[in-house]
Amino acid sequence: MKDFLLALICSMAITLIIAVNHSAAGQAEGKGIYDSKKCGDCHLTAGPNTDKTFAWLKNPKPIRQMEYNSIEKKNSGNHSKLSDKEAGDVTAYLMTLKSKDVAEGVIIDGKPNIQGKLVFEKKQCCYGCHSYPKSGKVSGGLSAPSLVDAGKRLQGDWIYAYLKNPKSLIPVKRMPTYAGILNDNDMKNVAQYVTTFK
Amino acid sequence: MIKRIIVVTLVLFLVTMFGISKSLAASAEENYKWYCSQCHGLKGDGKGINATPDQPVNPKNHTDAKEMAKLSTSDVENVIRDGGAATSKSTMMPPWGKSMTDAEIKELVPYLSKLCNCKFK
């Protein structure tokens, strides 16, 4: 029952979605590992990103300070860890997955964006809940996933899609819905700005 | 295989039900604990986990009767709906108008009034 609840809670949450379609060796093995390790018990679909995902799966450093959906319990950092081979295969498999909710090629990752910085720090205070790198120091709130190395982990296209239509990617969350509050350009700019965090 | 399909269907069903009940029937207390406590604290004392030393402003202490009584009912509704900018405060107070219904926002007013043990103007 406890496992079931955990699966339920997690499946509401970490929607792992990939915007890149591309085939690589190890896909079938990757799917096998994904199924046999029961990644799908917690994840709705499969996980954001490319080589970035590979690095994380080998060394899954906590992204959230707190446990998933909790503001009371610390993240114990016990995410399953994969070997090089497994991480490579799973990443290859994850990269074949696509979401109809994520449009590709809208955001250029890693490109500086001053307007996006203004949205993040002034117009809205995204740092109220997210920690991020501010003049070389980690600054900000703890209730949300850390964005400190978001540029190594998330794609701009995914972030923009998440701001535009959050429920399609993460059905239940503590973050305010900004669609209808920020305009389209603000959402694009701030998505791009977040991909510069490395 | 069949067992898996059943489990998956059940999980999806429960997730959907949870989603629906969350958006239709969440009480003021549930909404406060879910959305507001991350900054204002579970007790409303302004000491949520996001109130870190490096934040430029502190989340309002909702149990401070003297401070809270300076607000009017419409100030409180507006600041929840449109964020800090609505009462010329810091935008670190986020806008919740697209996250909760108008009715849910209005229901938070008496809940806040209970927390501060005070009346709004």
Side-chain angles (χ1 to χ4, degrees), chain B residues 34 50 65 73 79 94 102 108 119:
Chain B
W34 181 252
N50 287 329
T73 298
V79 82
D102 260 4
L108 276 167
K119 285 216 156 54

Side-chain angles (χ1 to χ4, degrees), chain B residues 3-15:
Chain B
K3 199 173 141 230
R4 257 198 105 148
I5 294 176
I6 294 176
V7 170
V8 168
T9 315
L10 204 68
V11 167
L12 284 177
F13 173 71
L14 284 173
V15 167

